[in-house]
Amino acid sequence: MATPTKEIKKPAELPVPNSDFYGLVETLPAEDLAVVKQVRTFMETKVAPIITKYWIEDAFPFELLPGLKELNIGGVGLEGYGCKGGGGLLAGLVAMEMGRVDASISTFFGVHSGLAMSSIYYGGSEEQKQKWLPPMARMEKIGCFGLTEPLVGSGASGGLTTTAKREGDTWTINGQKKWIGNSPWCDISIIWARDLADNQVKGFIVENKTTPGFKVEKIQNKIALKVVQNGLITMENCRILEENRLQVDTSFRDTAKVLRGTRYFVGWEATGCAMGAYENALKYAQERLQFGKPIGSFQLIQDLLSRMLANITAAQCLLVRLAQLEAEGKMTDAHAALSKAFCTSKCRESVAWAREICGGNGIAADYSVGRFFADSEALYTYEGTFQMQNMIVGKAVTGLSAFL
Ligand SMILES: Cc1cc2nc3c(=O)[nH]c(=O)nc-3n(C[C@H](O)[C@H](O)[C@H](O)COP(=O)(O)OP(=O)(O)OC[C@H]3O[C@@H](n4cnc5c(N)ncnc54)[C@H](O)[C@@H]3O)c2cc1C
């Protein structure tokens, strides 16, 4: 006689974590969608499997550079000069897709393609753009952006101590730049210095490897964005030809114009970072059992997941509207500042909840969430701190400046 078998209940199929809850990507034109998908595939198949090892080792994965070049996205959002084009929305989505897997890779790319290339794009003469942008767009020459100094961060607009002195067709630059991403190994530095003649900030294209007096020391022992190599640059009587001074730029207002665009990207990047943390934490919550049940079935865990998803969705919707303003030429410094402050602070809140959901494993690098958690700290601070962004917004809405 056959023994009665107890019916084994098959576990219900659980939804695959998806941080694009409102289907943002579906609204994209087919051409842009193809680029976004290509970037996602690259990040998931080439970057994700190796990035934690590099993060732990404080090293940059040069093995990824050929694949990054093949993506053909250098200068995304910029038109002509070999740049990818495609508009601000596509550029933002590329930053978000990169950030979703690793904020260091999106930072490396943002410094090169955003900060360095757009400094030349907006501030360079036609000749300078023709010369420098095509090899940078092909990522044959990699750039960095040197504004911050050891003693001057938030106060860079009025307080740069790096000086530039013109004699004939040659400028002599002296000073130091701190925290400069990519600088320990890249080819081209955009250096911002105060002209001793008129006290205005000017931009210079400096060739790292061949300029006498230009020295870079790698900053060691960071706890965030460990894959990005940041440097302390020291310039001692660096002689730069007038033809390498950004010809259109005349003051810090021109530097701020570059920062407006790149703060917009940091909003996207931070949203990507929150998305990556959320998806990893959700997967963990679906699989981790406590009290005999997946922790994702507990109300308090679901509450955290909902709050994270709300932060992410709010940031995505804000950024899409900002992309529209950008496309219409209406994005102001205050618009970009609001999104940088909001998206990075919501990212910081979300990655902390993701870490919490992973319990003790949330602080282990092997679980990825710890990496997003640490990296969000740098996004919150670089390209202008939360306080600086809010002071830009505060000035716009009150008509009163809190800057000294
Ligand atoms: C990982 C990383 C990468 C970076 N990459 C680059 C790069 O590629 N190129 C580059 O040029 N720079 C780079 N930076 C520098 C970055 O932009 C600065 O760290 C940032 O602007 C803040 O400057 P600071 O660190 O000197 O802080 P400080 O300006 O000393 O500020 C310290 C604190 O005081 C607050 N504060 C300052 N002034 C006021 C005020 N008036 N009111 C209220 N609060 C105030 C700030 O908000 C902050 O909380 C990077 C930084 C990091 C951490």
Side-chain angles (χ1 to χ4, degrees):
M1 203 171 78
T3 44
T5 50
K6 204 172 149 197
E7 199 185 326
I8 298 170
K9 214 170 156 201
K10 228 176 123 206
E13 205 149 298
L14 299 175
V16 176
N18 173 19
S19 50
D20 184 8
F21 199 54
Y22 280 10
L24 172 70
V25 160
E26 287 162 27
T27 64
L28 287 180
E31 206 180 310
D32 288 358
L33 187 57
V35 177
V36 170
K37 281 189 172 161
Q38 231 187 339
V39 173
R40 177 168 286 212
T41 304
F42 176 78
M43 293 303 294
E44 287 181 345
T45 60
K46 306 288 184 212
V47 179
I50 60 167
I51 204 67
T52 300
K53 174 178 163 286
Y54 282 99
W55 193 87
I56 292 166
E57 291 171 358
D58 249 339
F60 186 81
F62 290 100
E63 62 178 289
L64 291 175
L65 277 182
L68 272 164
K69 285 180 192 173
E70 274 173 31
L71 286 175
N72 189 28
I73 51 172
V76 62
L78 305 176
E79 292 295 334
Y81 312 100
C83 298
K84 175 72 182 173
L89 179 61
L90 178 64
L93 287 162
V94 165
M96 186 176 87
E97 283 302 329
M98 288 182 165
R100 177 179 162 270
V101 172
D102 183 57
S104 290
I105 295 297
S106 64
T107 296
F108 150 73
F109 184 72
V111 169
H112 166 69
S113 183
L115 284 167
M117 287 185 71
S118 53
S119 293
I120 298 173
Y121 188 82
Y122 293 117
S125 63
E126 184 57 31
E127 206 180 352
Q128 288 175 322
K129 291 192 256 194
Q130 299 278 4
K131 175 175 175 184
W132 298 100
L133 291 176
M136 291 177 87
R138 293 192 296 270
M139 295 180 72
E140 290 163 8
K141 296 262 183 220
I142 299 296
C144 74
F145 179 92
L147 176 64
T148 308
E149 301 180 351
L151 301 179
V152 186
S154 303
S157 60
L160 287 191
T161 62
T162 297
T163 57
K165 187 172 180 213
R166 183 170 181 174
E167 277 162 327
D169 273 348
T170 307
W171 292 82
T172 304
I173 300 187
N174 279 291
Q176 283 192 311
K177 296 286 170 187
K178 190 173 178 189
W179 287 116
I180 311 309
N182 302 344
S183 65
W185 61 272
C186 75
D187 308 285
I188 297 160
S189 295
I190 306 298
I191 296 293
W192 301 95
R194 183 163 298 283
D195 179 354
L196 284 174
D198 64 5
N199 213 29
Q200 295 298 326
V201 171
K202 310 230 157 101
F204 297 87
I205 305 168
V206 180
E207 294 184 76
N208 291 29
K209 292 165 182 162
T210 52
T211 304
F214 190 92
K215 200 177 78 191
V216 189
E217 230 175 288
K218 177 184 159 177
I219 295 176
Q220 306 284 353
N221 306 327
K222 288 187 299 164
I223 62 150
L225 294 182
K226 285 157 67 69
V227 170
V228 181
Q229 308 291 288
N230 292 84
L232 172 67
I233 298 175
T234 302
M235 291 161 289
E236 281 176 3
N237 293 322
C238 285
R239 292 171 75 76
I240 308 298
L241 293 177
E242 163 63 9
E243 65 182 44
N244 277 18
R245 180 182 64 78
L246 292 172
Q247 297 290 312
V248 174
D249 290 351
T250 54
S251 74
F252 190 80
R253 278 177 195 280
D254 300 304
T255 323
K257 188 174 175 190
V258 176
L259 291 171
R260 184 196 309 161
T262 54
R263 283 172 182 160
Y264 160 83
F265 290 131
V266 179
W268 284 102
E269 192 179 359
T271 304
C273 178
M275 288 163 70
Y278 164 80
E279 290 183 17
N280 275 279
L282 171 53
K283 191 159 184 297
Y284 188 86
Q286 288 170 324
E287 291 167 1
R288 173 76 173 174
L289 303 180
Q290 284 300 297
F291 302 96
K293 287 173 149 194
I295 61 167
S297 68
F298 301 140
Q299 291 174 349
L300 294 178
I301 297 285
Q302 291 187 0
D303 174 65
L304 290 181
L305 289 166
S306 305
R307 289 172 190 234
M308 290 164 76
L309 190 56
N311 276 352
I312 291 164
T313 307
Q316 288 168 338
C317 292
L318 174 150
L319 287 163
V320 168
R321 172 61 186 144
L322 189 59
Q324 291 169 350
L325 289 172
E326 197 269 345
E328 292 165 12
K330 293 182 187 161
M331 181 175 77
T332 63
D333 287 344
H335 288 144
L338 183 89
S339 75
K340 201 268 174 181
F342 180 80
C343 297
T344 56
S345 63
K346 291 297 154 192
C347 168
R348 199 179 185 216
E349 190 174 62
S350 301
V351 298
W353 287 331
R355 197 223 60 73
E356 193 174 333
I357 286 172
C358 295
N361 290 330
I363 65 150
D366 321 272
Y367 284 83
S368 296
V369 168
R371 179 165 48 82
F372 291 113
F373 174 71
D375 287 350
S376 75
E377 288 300 314
L379 307 186
Y380 184 67
T381 288
Y382 72 28
E383 298 207 25
T385 66
F386 184 72
Q387 287 76 18
M388 288 304 112
Q389 308 307 325
N390 286 346
M391 281 162 67
I392 293 170
V393 175
K395 183 178 168 189
V397 298
T398 63
L400 305 168
S401 175
F403 290 98
L404 302 172

